Amino acid sequence: GFLTVTARASDIKDGSLVSVTELLPGQLVTGHVSRITDFGVFVKLSEYVTGLIYQRHLTDVPLAKVPKRYQVDAKVKCRVLKVMPEKRMLSLT
């Protein structure tokens, strides 16, 4: 079977980002680095939405690995590159 857990509207803070569908390509966003992998950096934009900056989008020049300047919990400014609502995914740069 399936278990569906949802948040009550009263539990969601005003102005909180709840879904990737609320974002548009080109939009500026701010978040915190939540995880660093070999292929990129995951950025938590809200309690409900996390996006990925692929390694090739971290800098203007190709890199062999994610730069050490990215640390977990660091605040980062990003631009929405692509929104994929069907997969609930967000690509950032």
Side-chain angles (χ1 to χ4, degrees), residues 6-65:
T6 61
R8 293 182 306 223
S10 61
D11 292 340
I12 298 172
K13 296 175 188 165
D14 286 339
S16 183
L17 185 61
V18 178
S19 170
V20 297
T21 58
E22 296 177 53
L23 299 169
L24 298 171
Q27 187 174 348
L28 291 174
V29 292
T30 302
H32 290 86
V33 174
S34 61
R35 190 169 58 142
I36 299 170
T37 67
D38 291 338
F39 56 86
V41 174
F42 286 89
V43 178
K44 186 173 183 174
L45 303 179
S46 74
E47 185 178 342
Y48 309 100
V49 178
T50 299
L52 173 63
I53 307 174
Y54 287 100
Q55 180 179 333
R56 67 181 174 269
H57 296 294
L58 288 171
T59 64
D60 293 334
V61 294
L63 301 171
K65 62 182 182 176

